[in-house]
């Protein structure tokens, strides 16, 4: 039987030790915290769409539409989601599948707290997404929070001037919160505070990467870049101080041909973006990273 990994209860930066939940401690010279975020339901009563691999979370939508059991669906992006692209994909693919199966007279609505769809990318990529949603007849209510869903009515803040949003089903992304590890500085949501180089302030030799941190975008490719940066700094071969921007790469599944999005992000804000029909990076993995993408491609080719 495999041994279970120890659970970290706290970090003692002064002693450079990890306090373990079951007792005892582990010392470290350098520490990289990559424990991810905690997920919880996005909206009471709604279906929380966990990931692109949530097969049951996508198939039931098309089945109910085909059987005419539902005629309207709202897709909700909560403020604490961290990365909204999967829900935009789900809305587009739902519209595509419904049209391909001759299911008409349906109403698909996307509610997002963002000022516009995928605002964190913006530019050409964001404009392309808005165009695709329009072509798919997905109504977009941007700059709004869904606060409740009762008796088929989605409560919005601020309200929609066109009237109440009444739907048969609601699909939402999960809300994320940080790990809140004792001894690591964190914000009010438990996310570990980091600087531009993923260093944890006040704790020499401690880094944090990925969804556990205060970096506002929670995306696999960016997390891999953060891990590479931490590894370079630890090995003392980082060279010049890294720039404040990172390159975000993402594949947008549309239901037909995928699109490849790229954006430069600085301090969590978009600086420029582009969209292409052919993959501008190789291998064209959905998680684009220098080391992780080739590994995933080889792992997939091996049929593992």
């Amino acid at each position: 039987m495999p041994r279970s990994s120890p659970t970290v209860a706290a970090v003692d930066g002064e002693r450079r030790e990890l306090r373990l939940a079951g007792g005892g401690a582990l010392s470290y010279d350098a520490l990289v915290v990559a424990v991810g975020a905690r997920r919880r339901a996005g909206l009471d009563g709604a279906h929380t769409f966990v990931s692109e691999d949530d097969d049951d979370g996508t198939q039931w939508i098309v089945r109910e539409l085909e059987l005419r059991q539902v005629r309207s669906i709202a897709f909700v992006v909560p403020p604490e989601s961290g990365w909204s692209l999967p829900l935009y994909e789900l809305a587009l693919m739902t519209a595509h599948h419904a049209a391909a199966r001759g299911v008409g007279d349906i109403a698909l609505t996307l509610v997002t707290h963002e000022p516009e769809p995928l605002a964190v990318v913006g530019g050409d990529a964001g404009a392309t997404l808005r165009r695709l949603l329009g072509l798919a007849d997905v109504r977009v209510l941007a700059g709004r929070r869904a606060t409740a869903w009762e008796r088929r009515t989605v409560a919005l803040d601020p309200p929609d001037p066109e009237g109440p949003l009444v739907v048969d089903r609601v699909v939402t992304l999960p809300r994320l919160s940080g790990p809140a590890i004792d001894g690591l500085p964190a914000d009010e949501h438990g996310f570990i505070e980091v600087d531009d180089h993923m260093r944890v302030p006040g704790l020499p030799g401690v880094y944090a990467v990925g969804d556990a941190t205060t970096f506002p975008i929670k995306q696999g490719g960016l997390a891999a870049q953060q891990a590479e940066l931490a590894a370079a700094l630890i090995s003392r071969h980082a060279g010049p101080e890294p720039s404040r921007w990172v390159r975000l790469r993402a594949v947008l599944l549309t239901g037909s041909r995928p699109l490849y999005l790229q954006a430069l992000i600085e301090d969590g804000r978009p600086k420029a973006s582009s969209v292409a029909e052919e993959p501008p990076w190789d291998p064209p993995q959905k998680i684009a990273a220098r080391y992780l993408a080739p590994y995933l491609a080889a792992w997939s080719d091996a049929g593992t």
Side-chain angles (χ1 to χ4, degrees), residues 124-296:
D124 293 341
T128 297
L129 177 58
R130 293 193 296 273
R131 179 178 60 83
L132 290 175
L133 291 168
L135 291 174
D137 289 328
V138 177
R139 183 188 179 206
V140 176
L141 295 177
R144 289 177 171 81
R145 298 171 58 114
T147 59
W149 181 44
E150 297 178 354
R151 298 179 182 178
R152 298 182 58 236
T153 300
V154 180
L156 299 176
D157 181 24
D160 181 8
E162 296 186 15
L165 176 60
V166 180
V167 295
D168 297 321
R169 296 287 185 270
V170 174
V171 182
T172 178
L173 291 174
R175 297 177 184 270
L176 302 181
S177 59
I181 298 174
D182 190 21
L184 296 180
D187 66 7
E188 66 273 20
H189 301 294
F191 292 108
I192 303 167
E193 294 180 1
V194 291
D195 65 11
D196 295 333
H197 301 145
M198 312 315 294
R199 297 174 295 212
V200 178
L203 295 176
V206 179
Y207 302 79
V209 302
D211 293 359
T213 73
T214 51
F215 194 84
I217 308 172
K218 318 295 185 186
Q219 195 250 12
L222 292 183
Q225 290 183 52
Q226 293 167 359
E228 289 178 27
L229 173 58
L233 292 173
I234 291 170
S235 65
R236 302 295 190 270
H237 296 297
E241 283 286 287
S243 63
R244 297 170 62 88
W245 58 263
V246 293
R247 185 180 299 276
L248 185 152
R249 295 184 174 102
V251 182
L252 173 65
L253 304 179
T254 66
S256 54
R257 292 188 62 181
L259 296 177
Y260 299 86
L261 313 182
Q262 295 192 96
L264 293 180
I265 307 296
E266 183 177 12
D267 295 330
R269 298 181 178 85
K271 302 297 291 185
S273 71
S274 62
V275 60
E277 294 184 354
E278 299 297 330
W281 60 85
D282 183 60
Q285 293 287 322
K286 194 166 178 61
I287 298 180
R290 179 167 46 170
Y291 301 111
L292 182 58
Y295 170 78
L296 292 175

Side-chain angles (χ1 to χ4, degrees), residues 41-44 46-49 61 73-88 90-91 108-114 138-139 141 144-149 153-157 165 167 169-175:
L43 190 67
D44 288 345
H47 176 84
T48 300
F49 178 61
I61 298 174
I73 302 172
F75 301 89
V76 173
V77 179
E80 302 89 347
S81 63
W83 180 235
S84 57
L85 184 69
L87 204 68
Y88 291 112
L90 184 56
L108 303 180
T109 304
L110 199 145
V111 180
T112 178
H113 67 99
E114 304 161 293
V138 177
R139 183 188 179 206
L141 295 177
R144 289 177 171 81
R145 298 171 58 114
T147 59
W149 181 44
T153 300
V154 180
L156 299 176
D157 181 24
L165 176 60
V167 295
R169 296 287 185 270
V170 174
V171 182
T172 178
L173 291 174
R175 297 177 184 270

